[in-house]
Amino acid sequence: MATYRDRGIVLRSFDLGEADRIITFMTEGRGKVRAVAKGVRRTKSRFGGRLEGVRRTKSRFGGRLEVTNHVELTLYEGRSLDTITQADLLEHFRPVRENLDRLARVMPLLEVVDAVTFEGRSDPRLYHMLLGAIRALAEADAPLIVPAFFWKLLAHEGMRPEVACCASCGREDDLVAFELTEGGVLCRRCRRGTRLSPEALALLRRILGGQLVSVLGEGPSTAGHEVEHLATTALEHLLERRLRAAGALGGTQ
Amino acid sequence: MYAAPVQKLIDELGRLPGVGPKSAQRLAFHLLVVPKEEAERLARAITEMKERVAFCSRCFNVSEAPECEFCTDTRRDPQVICVVEEPHDVVAIEKTREFRGRYHVLQGAISPIEGIGPDQLKVRELVARLEPEEITEVILCTNPNIEGEATAMYLGRLLKPLGVKVTRIASGLPVGGDLDYADELTLGRALEGRREVEAP
């Protein structure tokens, strides 16, 4: 059977049968890939330490296929699901795994990437976007990473909103509202949808205007919450379903 | 395709976790040919379990009585609680014979992607036990995967300010393992959690 190699980020995993798992990756070359990791749930081997000194089968994966890990994979193609034959850890992002705030921020990113991608459609740019976001989080906590990533993703999916002038009449000042179905921000006369504060508008412009790095260095703010809420609503509109990860750990912030 | 009762059984078996349509079909045809008593024994075991077993009102482990055997055993240390995700984790820890305290079963783990937050777990019930039971230590024994770690971190943040000692089980290499087979994440933690060798 045909084997191939690729590198990818673990988005999520489901248990399958006794000891296997189905792992979803965002890969560089093949977009979203779902593949089976056989025996991955056994701590070490079929026999653990109980048969110390006796021949034992070794699980090839250990903690390599944990969610958020960046791995180099060898897989062979199956009829419906591919099977992972080898996985090497490229990056494990421990600072993200071991900090509740950062973990709470990375989960919505993984969820939306899983939701917007299809198997068999390659999207190296999105893979690099996700990798860059996780790397940034591993480097330092960035409260605005979720809204920034969501807006970048919407732009990438062809839903870049108009933020320079009123999407309806083209007026450049007095922009007070946001409505995605109108195409972006709206002035006082054309206003519809959600109210938009001047601070949130400025933040949105910076996110979409190539000032991402400075945005990620900022702490939480009301404008940040506003922009995140707008982004979540827009993504939910695009996906036609609710996003779950964003609120699940919300009580701890 | 099949006679209606057979199809019905296949459908029901197919709902079980880890059982696909093929396995369900295999199990159903097995049950079709085994002696009647054997099949009835299985049916009885299922109904009896559903009728007699529920969850312990204190720790949410599976139990035949209102409170489970661990919660009522006076020889166990009542001030130390080991927090686990599922009842089968209690069994795994009991097998070690290293723990003589009590348990608390969360009945799951925090999983943002599945939309499972602390409110869906037995977290409030855990907090409510601390004061009346005069708990001195809570051992966080959730799985070392992303959901288990998130749960442990969440509980750590929640319980620490309440003045109780909160510990997390160690994470590292399994007994009988080889260093060169270990992944960097596991080995890194094993190094970090090293212990000074005591004079023999």
Side-chain angles (χ1 to χ4, degrees):
Chain A
M1 228 173 286
T3 68
Y4 63 96
R5 289 175 73 86
D6 208 335
R7 40 181 60 194
I9 299 152
V10 182
L11 298 180
R12 60 189 305 187
S13 62
F14 304 90
D15 290 350
L16 176 73
E18 278 273 303
D20 307 340
R21 255 194 200 132
I22 295 179
I23 315 245
T24 311
F25 299 95
M26 181 62 201
T27 66
E28 185 174 26
R30 296 195 171 208
K32 184 158 79 180
V33 168
R34 275 162 33 96
V36 181
K38 295 221 161 103
V40 68
R41 273 152 68 207
R42 294 192 184 103
T43 305
K44 164 75 189 178
S45 73
R46 209 176 311 205
F47 308 113
R50 268 163 270 163
L51 295 181
E52 171 70 76
V54 182
R55 187 180 68 88
R56 55 186 183 267
T57 51
K58 294 189 177 80
S59 165
R60 293 152 294 181
F61 304 123
R64 291 180 183 90
L65 295 176
E66 281 293 301
V67 173
T68 71
N69 281 355
H70 184 214
V71 284
E72 172 95 46
L73 299 158
T74 308
L75 306 101
Y76 71 80
E77 286 174 355
R79 259 182 311 177
S80 58
L81 282 173
D82 299 346
T83 302
I84 306 162
T85 56
Q86 202 181 317
D88 291 307
L89 200 51
L90 297 170
E91 289 164 275
H92 52 63
F93 308 117
R94 262 183 78 183
V96 178
R97 278 184 77 86
E98 295 176 3
N99 178 297
L100 192 57
D101 293 329
R102 299 190 199 184
L103 193 57
R105 299 193 217 292
V106 84
M107 298 315 279
L109 312 191
L110 302 179
E111 183 187 12
V112 294
V113 170
D114 185 26
V116 300
T117 50
F118 298 94
E119 283 164 70
R121 193 186 74 178
S122 137
D123 192 344
R125 183 139 172 252
L126 183 54
Y127 157 86
H128 285 290
M129 261 171 66
L130 179 61
L131 188 57
I134 305 176
R135 279 180 182 155
L137 262 184
E139 197 85 359
D141 191 15
L144 296 175
I145 199 144
V146 177
F149 187 85
F150 281 9
W151 279 116
K152 285 284 187 193
L153 180 70
L154 280 160
H156 175 70
E157 292 292 313
M159 289 178 69
R160 188 193 177 86
E162 178 58 70
V163 291
C165 59
C166 175
S168 173
C169 71
R171 199 173 155 180
E172 283 179 16
D173 58 348
D174 213 14
L175 302 167
V176 295
F178 185 93
E179 175 56 48
L180 194 76
T181 52
E182 290 285 330
V185 295
L186 296 166
C187 70
R188 196 172 297 279
R189 229 168 7 141
C190 309
R191 75 172 163 214
R192 272 189 55 208
T194 321
R195 208 188 69 85
L196 185 72
S197 71
E199 296 79 24
L201 174 64
L203 182 61
L204 196 53
R205 282 177 171 167
R206 285 168 59 213
I207 289 172
L208 292 165
Q211 292 179 54
L212 198 58
V213 178
S214 78
V215 168
L216 294 186
E218 286 170 24
S221 59
T222 26
H225 285 296
E226 214 178 314
V227 171
E228 178 164 351
H229 176 72
L230 285 177
T232 307
T233 316
L235 267 171
E236 286 178 346
H237 177 77
L238 171 74
L239 296 167
E240 296 180 345
R241 73 166 176 85
R242 304 274 301 170
L243 290 173
R244 290 181 285 207
L249 283 167
T252 67
Q253 308 295 303
Chain B
M1 221 53 126
Y2 302 111
V6 178
Q7 189 59 51
K8 194 170 159 195
L9 180 61
I10 293 175
D11 293 344
E12 287 303 322
L13 289 169
R15 286 174 205 252
L16 300 175
V19 181
K22 279 277 178 220
S23 295
Q25 189 178 312
R26 198 160 40 83
L27 292 170
F29 276 93
H30 170 76
L31 291 169
L32 194 62
V33 294
V34 297
K36 197 164 177 230
E37 306 82 72
E38 205 174 304
E40 273 168 359
R41 215 162 44 232
L42 174 67
R44 233 182 0 257
I46 295 172
T47 38
E48 225 173 83
M49 178 191 77
K50 289 308 286 181
E51 272 162 19
R52 291 182 32 197
V53 179
F55 293 108
C56 169
S57 60
R58 199 192 301 200
C59 76
F60 301 94
N61 188 10
V62 285
S63 170
E64 225 177 311
E67 286 203 351
C68 74
E69 50 176 319
F70 304 112
C71 288
T72 48
D73 187 343
T74 50
R75 287 165 305 172
R76 300 188 78 102
D77 185 346
Q79 293 185 301
V80 182
I81 293 187
C82 179
V83 179
V84 295
E85 292 178 17
E86 302 287 348
H88 54 75
D89 298 326
V90 171
V91 178
I93 292 169
E94 276 304 296
K95 280 187 184 162
T96 67
R97 298 169 187 247
E98 298 274 349
F99 180 65
R100 298 296 301 161
R102 296 205 164 132
Y103 291 97
H104 190 84
V105 182
L106 294 171
Q107 300 196 341
I110 293 175
S111 173
I113 287 191
E114 309 289 337
I116 300 173
D119 293 347
Q120 278 85 39
L121 307 174
K122 303 292 179 193
V123 171
R124 230 172 295 126
E125 291 82 349
L126 171 65
V127 177
R129 286 178 69 180
L130 299 183
E131 225 179 73
E133 294 182 39
E134 294 172 5
I135 303 301
T136 53
E137 182 179 357
V138 175
I139 307 172
L140 303 174
C141 222
T142 52
N143 287 326
N145 54 29
I146 206 109
E147 291 85 9
E149 302 278 19
T151 311
M153 284 190 282
Y154 175 83
L155 289 177
R157 196 178 273 194
L158 186 71
L159 302 179
K160 270 264 171 172
L162 303 178
V164 62
K165 181 178 172 188
V166 183
T167 54
R168 173 86 173 116
I169 45 159
S171 162
L173 298 167
V175 177
D178 288 351
L179 282 188
D180 62 342
Y181 270 90
D183 61 278
E184 296 85 328
L185 199 55
T186 306
L187 195 52
R189 282 204 188 171
L191 266 175
E192 203 178 76
R194 67 188 183 276
R195 281 202 300 205
E196 194 171 343
V197 176
E198 286 175 31

